[in-house]
Amino acid sequence: MPTQSSSLPASDSSAPLTVMGAGLVGSLLSLFLARRGHSVEVFERRADMRQGGAVEGRSINLALSDRGWRALEAVGIGDEIRQVAIPMYRRVMHDAQGNLSHQPYGQDNQAIYSVSRAGLNRTLLTLAEADPRVTLHFNQQLAGLDMRARQLELRDTTTGQERQQPFRRLFGTDGAFSAVRSALQKTERYNYSQSYLEYGYKELNIEPGPNGEWLLEKNALHIWPRGQYMMIALPNLDGSFNCTLFFPYEGKHSFAALQTPAQVQAFFEEVFPDIVPLMPELTDEYFRNPTGSLVTIRCFPWAFDDDVLLLGDASHAIVPFYGQGMNAGFEDCTVLDQLMERLGDDWHAIFTEFQQQRKPNADAIADLAVYNFEEMRDRVGDPRFLLQKKIESRIAAQFPGKWMPLYSQVTFSHTPYAEAWASGQLQERIMRRLMSHIQTEADYDQPEVQALVQQEMAQRG
Amino acid sequence: MPTQSSSLPASDSSAPLTVMGAGLVGSLLSLFLARRGHSVEVFERRADMRQGGAVEGRSINLALSDRGWRALEAVGIGDEIRQVAIPMYRRVMHDAQGNLSHQPYGQDNQAIYSVSRAGLNRTLLTLAEADPRVTLHFNQQLAGLDMRARQLELRDTTTGQERQQPFRRLFGTDGAFSAVRSALQKTERYNYSQSYLEYGYKELNIEPGPNGEWLLEKNALHIWPRGQYMMIALPNLDGSFNCTLFFPYEGKHSFAALQTPAQVQAFFEEVFPDIVPLMPELTDEYFRNPTGSLVTIRCFPWAFDDDVLLLGDASHAIVPFYGQGMNAGFEDCTVLDQLMERLGDDWHAIFTEFQQQRKPNADAIADLAVYNFEEMRDRVGDPRFLLQKKIESRIAAQFPGKWMPLYSQVTFSHTPYAEAWASGQLQERIMRRLMSHIQTEADYDQPEVQALVQQEMAQRG
């Protein structure tokens, strides 16, 4: 560990690397760095979440998909996490009368996986701590960052004491409201944007049944699409579901419009009738749980010389509707690891290539996540949309390797997000042309429709 | 004047209005407010620029066009400013051999006007000061803003003393790096972006001739379009021209690449040969004058209840390539004045309508300004582009009231910027289709081209 207040020589390749933030991406990143032989000092503002009393600040469960799995497997904990992950093979839509419809996420056994954010973070921290090259420091708030002098000013939140901590290379993985990024933002000509949806979210809970059973279909992501708002539910291991209501801040149906328990109860009974009996604590939870906001953050550059690099939400926080926030952050780790493999100790090249490669993909998944909100809260309730999805999977099956639905490219492939988005837009235009000739799934086999499909595919080349 | 540290009652309609920032927009706004009968307290961070020694921080001259004129005329100083404004009827393009081409800005006598930023600002300040309802306070830096308590913390930059200043309604006209906006940015769910071009600018000077004459065509805006960079020049009253080089920060031809006087001299002689003899102090100025950056700032909301409102660059700073930054800020004043006329003392409605009406137009002119950079640095040097402009003015003459070139809508009309931009994009698509049939101006009169024009115009309805 470096001596306090001393400065590390720029050329010392044996100097430890510094990671600010031990959330999902920071703890995973420290493992990747350690496995390349580096000593890693990790500083985290919060207390060690593995000790009692830590408060959960964010959504309880997350959807892990292929990009995330690849990174977890690279550090050897794919199997361990798989034990505590619940596959969700399809969307189940609940209409206002409680009728269900559904849409598979992919082919055969393709699924996204409901995992506990806190559980996954704890596992990663324990794994990091077990590596002798990694040292974790909790309750360490970044109070200042002098990039020229390569010094952190850290405040111990338990004692209030501040100290200088030199660094040679700093990885900012401290989330959407990153303190490391705040320092970058003060540099000249920094590009930055924060954009909020006019929607907030509220977490609610569906309790397990009397014998710990799941009271909705377990292996599914449930959606109550209601046009201008929606609720979703993801399963937990204990038989409960974590629900999230995505709701406008203002307007006729909005957080502002529901001010009393009676109003909340009446509204849920009207629009989510099938779920009210499963939420005995609905109104208590509604007023006890905070209303979260939904922000997209974009910035550039992510690198400051070869000294500082932002990863994960610190550089590209997105809204949750594609289930890709964590997956994109984990993919950052995979990409950085590939660059370390290829470029060795040329950190300038690593940082430069990293931001050039990742920035367009981060922008694409940010756009996709906003786009998917509309799909989830509105289009999935439309029978024509579900028919289009069926037709599209018929095309994908008929032209293997030539057509992959956008959702599958994002979720079940490692195709860069920007490529997936571009190809998805192209496919969507084709689907719109085809759907004007299709009323039922059987129409797909009509000779004239097949001729059109062949023609479109030939034009795609 | 309110008593120090007292709080103004929210309902006191006779309480003075507070304007933070006495630049072009702030000083003009104070006049509009005073003419509606309000007392106005104006605070400005800088010293009074009418006293000697004030440093010019920004470009020396600006292009005033119809939106700006309308606002100046409303406060009665149109004629006064016209005396010191130089009409520029056309663009004059200088190629790398010193050959000239040109393009009129509009029809007949339509012109944009070169005015001195400082001169205009001084005139507005003097006019404001002459109004007994307006009080100007200089050297007053905004050190803090408590929106809930409606208190400003002002630091006197000459004494260093800080004091509390209550306000009832605060207008933030303190520019692109607005301190008022900084306070808004800290409120919940604030949307904000700052986006820099990878270009900077450098101001240079063309001296008057020996008898005070203009050494380039006086009544024109001069452009040296060079593809990836450009220089422009605007005339001043004393026979000089103020030149601005817009140049990449990095790359083969860039600020980074020109490090010595010899390099600057050689580069200018190669790419701007006709201007070098007119710039005897070129290399001195090049290294003495700062390199300015080019930022677009977007934010929302602009209003905080009926307490605070941002106007001008504070809410929508744009790059200078459409010559619309000041004009857009002045149009803000016109629009606010219209709303005061219509809505009286309902400030909540005034602020709400103002931001709803102006935000899409501010976004449009921000996009247009970036778009026009490419036109100025590249396309104006292309004979096909100049031919297209000629053809377009033929169409505009043939279909009066049905076609107005985009530049004219932005510069010589009061059409909201967003409408102008949408109609301009439509017209551009039509022009592209027509131009594929046109090689010379005479082709416009060919029967088949005329048939196409008639057909396109009929489709426009």
Side-chain angles (χ1 to χ4, degrees):
Chain A
M1 195 175 159
T3 315
Q4 212 167 296
S5 290
S6 75
S7 191
L8 295 169
S11 59
D12 184 355
S13 67
S14 69
L17 303 176
T18 304
V19 173
M20 191 73 226
L24 292 167
V25 173
S27 51
L28 178 65
L29 175 68
S30 71
L31 282 163
F32 271 103
L33 297 174
R35 276 153 207 231
R36 293 257 162 225
H38 300 286
S39 301
V40 187
E41 299 280 334
V42 184
F43 298 95
E44 166 59 43
R45 180 175 54 84
R46 288 166 300 188
D48 188 344
M49 64 194 303
R50 293 165 301 172
Q51 293 162 10
V55 176
E56 308 289 342
R58 303 277 296 281
S59 66
I60 292 164
N61 45 31
L62 295 167
L64 186 56
S65 55
D66 284 33
R67 294 171 205 262
W69 284 117
R70 179 164 67 163
L72 294 179
E73 274 150 16
V75 297
I77 55 167
D79 289 342
E80 185 176 344
I81 300 299
R82 223 174 292 273
Q83 302 299 316
V84 292
I86 300 175
M88 300 180 287
Y89 297 103
R90 58 186 194 169
R91 291 170 169 164
V92 171
M93 275 68 76
H94 299 237
D95 77 12
Q97 286 72 47
N99 303 312
L100 306 185
S101 57
H102 48 80
Q103 179 212 337
Y105 273 121
Q107 315 235 312
D108 308 325
N109 275 321
Q110 283 181 324
I112 59 176
Y113 291 78
S114 177
V115 294
S116 151
R117 171 193 287 272
L120 179 55
N121 207 152
R122 286 191 197 101
T123 304
L124 289 166
L125 286 172
T126 299
L127 197 66
E129 200 166 50
D131 190 311
R133 287 160 297 200
V134 178
T135 314
L136 303 177
H137 308 267
F138 293 96
N139 307 303
Q140 300 295 311
Q141 181 175 22
L142 185 62
L145 166 54
D146 183 336
M147 280 186 285
R148 289 279 159 222
R150 293 200 295 267
Q151 292 275 357
L152 303 178
E153 190 178 326
L154 294 172
R155 199 176 77 86
D156 187 307
T157 58
T158 58
T159 65
Q161 286 202 317
E162 298 202 349
R163 68 190 176 91
Q164 299 293 314
Q165 169 75 38
F167 69 87
R168 177 57 198 96
R169 255 173 268 285
L170 173 66
F171 297 85
T173 53
D174 50 347
F177 302 98
S178 168
V180 176
R181 188 190 65 232
S182 288
L184 288 181
Q185 283 174 240
K186 286 171 195 139
T187 60
E188 271 190 24
R189 293 188 280 127
Y190 198 75
N191 294 301
Y192 173 74
S193 88
Q194 57 185 47
S195 169
Y196 284 86
L197 294 187
E198 295 184 358
Y199 285 78
Y201 69 89
K202 179 82 76 178
E203 298 207 325
L204 300 166
N205 201 39
I206 293 178
E207 291 295 319
N211 302 310
E213 73 273 25
W214 288 268
L215 295 178
L216 300 173
E217 179 180 327
K218 174 188 174 189
N219 292 112
L221 188 150
H222 296 263
I223 310 183
W224 289 259
R226 294 295 180 269
Q228 289 306 304
Y229 57 94
M230 71 168 176
M231 189 155 59
I232 66 169
L234 277 75
N236 297 315
L237 285 175
D238 67 357
S240 69
F241 285 82
N242 182 43
C243 297
T244 311
L245 171 67
F246 295 96
F247 207 35
Y249 281 102
E250 307 285 341
K252 189 182 170 203
H253 301 303
S254 71
F255 286 114
L258 300 182
Q259 292 291 344
T260 67
Q263 286 170 334
V264 170
Q265 189 74 26
F267 178 74
F268 271 69
E269 281 173 4
E270 185 192 338
V271 302
F272 306 125
D274 60 338
I275 204 146
V276 173
L278 312 182
M279 288 182 164
E281 298 194 50
L282 166 62
T283 55
D284 282 354
E285 285 184 338
Y286 185 93
F287 290 102
R288 189 172 64 229
N289 292 349
T291 303
S293 61
L294 297 161
V295 70
T296 301
I297 287 176
R298 301 174 200 254
C299 62
F300 203 77
W302 298 348
F304 190 86
D305 294 337
D306 60 349
D307 300 330
V308 181
L309 183 68
L310 301 175
L311 299 94
D313 284 1
S315 48
H316 49 75
I318 62 177
V319 295
F321 305 107
Y322 229 113
Q324 287 294 313
M326 169 181 64
N327 290 288
F330 283 8
E331 193 174 59
D332 283 351
C333 297
T334 304
V335 168
L336 189 76
D337 191 56
Q338 290 165 346
L339 291 171
M340 289 191 289
E341 169 78 30
R342 178 154 64 83
L343 298 166
D345 271 342
D346 185 349
W347 287 99
H348 198 276
I350 291 170
F351 283 17
T352 303
E353 280 212 29
F354 179 82
Q355 68 177 3
Q356 281 173 357
Q357 194 181 134
R358 288 303 280 169
K359 173 63 173 164
N361 293 318
D363 283 340
I365 193 61
D367 290 340
L368 280 162
V370 171
Y371 161 88
N372 217 44
F373 183 28
E374 203 188 318
E375 175 162 321
M376 290 179 78
R377 70 173 201 255
D378 196 359
R379 292 197 290 272
V380 295
D382 175 359
R384 285 287 298 172
F385 173 86
L386 298 179
L387 176 62
Q388 179 174 324
K389 291 289 175 186
K390 277 185 191 156
I391 300 295
E392 196 182 354
S393 64
R394 296 281 301 273
I395 299 177
Q398 191 177 344
F399 299 92
K402 291 195 70 181
W403 185 292
M404 191 187 284
L406 174 58
Y407 188 89
S408 296
Q409 290 190 55
V410 170
T411 309
F412 305 124
S413 92
H414 304 297
T415 304
Y417 289 124
E419 280 178 40
W421 190 205
S423 120
Q425 288 171 306
L426 207 74
Q427 290 176 171
E428 178 62 24
R429 285 197 288 274
I430 295 174
M431 288 309 300
R432 276 193 212 151
R433 290 195 290 268
L434 288 180
M435 288 304 289
S436 64
H437 304 275
I438 291 175
Q439 297 309 317
T440 69
E441 191 176 349
D443 287 348
Y444 184 70
D445 300 312
Q446 298 281 341
E448 63 273 23
V449 171
Q450 277 295 311
L452 275 173
V453 172
Q454 295 289 351
Q455 187 190 326
E456 291 282 4
M457 294 305 288
Q459 281 176 4
R460 274 196 91 181
Chain B
M1 194 177 157
T3 316
Q4 210 169 296
S5 291
S6 76
S7 192
L8 295 170
S11 58
D12 183 357
S13 67
S14 69
L17 304 175
T18 304
V19 173
M20 190 71 227
L24 293 168
V25 174
S27 51
L28 178 64
L29 175 68
S30 71
L31 283 163
F32 272 103
L33 297 174
R35 276 152 207 231
R36 294 254 162 228
H38 299 287
S39 301
V40 188
E41 299 281 334
V42 184
F43 298 95
E44 165 59 42
R45 180 175 54 83
R46 288 166 299 186
D48 188 344
M49 65 195 303
R50 293 165 302 172
Q51 293 161 10
V55 176
E56 308 290 340
R58 306 275 296 282
S59 65
I60 291 165
N61 46 27
L62 295 166
L64 186 56
S65 55
D66 284 33
R67 294 170 205 263
W69 284 117
R70 179 163 67 164
L72 294 179
E73 274 149 18
V75 296
I77 55 167
D79 288 341
E80 184 176 347
I81 301 300
R82 223 175 293 275
Q83 302 299 318
V84 291
I86 300 175
M88 300 180 286
Y89 299 101
R90 57 185 197 170
R91 290 171 170 162
V92 171
M93 275 69 74
H94 299 237
D95 78 10
Q97 285 71 48
N99 302 312
L100 306 185
S101 55
H102 48 79
Q103 181 212 336
Y105 274 122
Q107 314 234 315
D108 307 325
N109 275 321
Q110 284 182 320
I112 59 177
Y113 290 78
S114 178
V115 295
S116 152
R117 170 193 288 273
L120 180 54
N121 207 151
R122 286 191 197 102
T123 303
L124 288 167
L125 286 172
T126 298
L127 197 65
E129 202 166 49
D131 190 311
R133 287 158 298 199
V134 178
T135 315
L136 303 177
H137 307 266
F138 294 96
N139 306 302
Q140 301 295 311
Q141 180 176 23
L142 184 63
L145 167 54
D146 183 336
M147 281 186 284
R148 290 279 159 224
R150 294 201 292 268
Q151 292 274 356
L152 302 178
E153 191 179 325
L154 294 173
R155 199 176 77 84
D156 187 308
T157 58
T158 58
T159 65
Q161 286 202 316
E162 299 203 347
R163 67 189 176 93
Q164 299 293 316
Q165 169 75 37
F167 68 89
R168 177 57 198 94
R169 258 173 267 285
L170 174 66
F171 297 85
T173 52
D174 51 346
F177 301 98
S178 168
V180 177
R181 188 189 64 231
S182 289
L184 288 181
Q185 282 173 243
K186 286 173 193 136
T187 60
E188 272 190 22
R189 293 188 279 127
Y190 199 75
N191 294 302
Y192 174 74
S193 88
Q194 57 186 46
S195 170
Y196 284 85
L197 293 187
E198 294 184 359
Y199 285 77
Y201 69 89
K202 178 83 76 180
E203 299 206 325
L204 300 166
N205 202 39
I206 294 178
E207 291 295 320
N211 303 309
E213 72 274 26
W214 288 268
L215 295 178
L216 300 173
E217 180 179 327
K218 173 189 175 187
N219 292 112
L221 189 150
H222 295 263
I223 310 182
W224 290 257
R226 295 295 180 268
Q228 289 308 301
Y229 57 94
M230 70 168 176
M231 190 154 59
I232 66 170
L234 277 76
N236 298 315
L237 285 175
D238 66 356
S240 69
F241 286 82
N242 183 43
C243 298
T244 312
L245 171 67
F246 295 96
F247 208 36
Y249 281 102
E250 307 284 340
K252 189 182 170 203
H253 301 303
S254 70
F255 286 114
L258 300 184
Q259 293 291 343
T260 67
Q263 286 170 333
V264 170
Q265 190 73 28
F267 179 73
F268 271 67
E269 280 173 4
E270 184 191 339
V271 302
F272 306 124
D274 60 339
I275 203 145
V276 172
L278 312 182
M279 289 183 164
E281 298 194 49
L282 166 62
T283 56
D284 282 354
E285 286 185 336
Y286 185 94
F287 290 102
R288 188 172 65 227
N289 292 349
T291 302
S293 61
L294 297 162
V295 70
T296 301
I297 287 177
R298 299 175 201 254
C299 62
F300 203 79
W302 297 350
F304 190 85
D305 294 337
D306 60 351
D307 300 330
V308 181
L309 183 69
L310 302 176
L311 298 95
D313 284 2
S315 47
H316 50 76
I318 63 178
V319 296
F321 305 107
Y322 229 113
Q324 286 294 313
M326 169 183 63
N327 289 288
F330 283 6
E331 192 174 59
D332 283 352
C333 296
T334 304
V335 168
L336 189 76
D337 191 55
Q338 290 165 346
L339 292 171
M340 289 190 290
E341 169 78 30
R342 178 153 64 82
L343 298 166
D345 270 344
D346 186 350
W347 287 99
H348 197 275
I350 292 170
F351 282 17
T352 302
E353 280 212 32
F354 179 82
Q355 67 177 1
Q356 280 172 359
Q357 193 181 132
R358 288 302 281 168
K359 172 63 173 163
N361 293 320
D363 284 339
I365 193 60
D367 291 340
L368 280 163
V370 171
Y371 161 87
N372 217 43
F373 184 28
E374 204 188 316
E375 175 162 323
M376 289 178 78
R377 72 172 201 256
D378 195 359
R379 290 197 292 272
V380 295
D382 176 359
R384 285 288 295 172
F385 172 86
L386 298 179
L387 176 61
Q388 179 174 324
K389 291 288 175 187
K390 276 185 192 155
I391 300 296
E392 197 182 353
S393 63
R394 295 286 298 273
I395 298 177
Q398 190 175 346
F399 300 92
K402 290 194 70 178
W403 186 292
M404 192 189 282
L406 173 58
Y407 188 89
S408 296
Q409 291 191 55
V410 169
T411 308
F412 305 123
S413 92
H414 304 298
T415 304
Y417 289 125
E419 280 177 39
W421 190 204
S423 120
Q425 287 171 307
L426 207 74
Q427 290 177 171
E428 177 62 25
R429 285 196 288 274
I430 295 174
M431 287 310 300
R432 275 193 213 152
R433 289 194 291 268
L434 288 180
M435 288 303 290
S436 65
H437 303 276
I438 292 175
Q439 297 309 317
T440 69
E441 191 176 349
D443 287 347
Y444 182 69
D445 300 311
Q446 298 282 343
E448 61 272 24
V449 170
Q450 277 295 311
L452 275 172
V453 171
Q454 295 289 350
Q455 186 189 327
E456 292 281 5
M457 293 305 289
Q459 282 175 7
R460 276 195 90 181

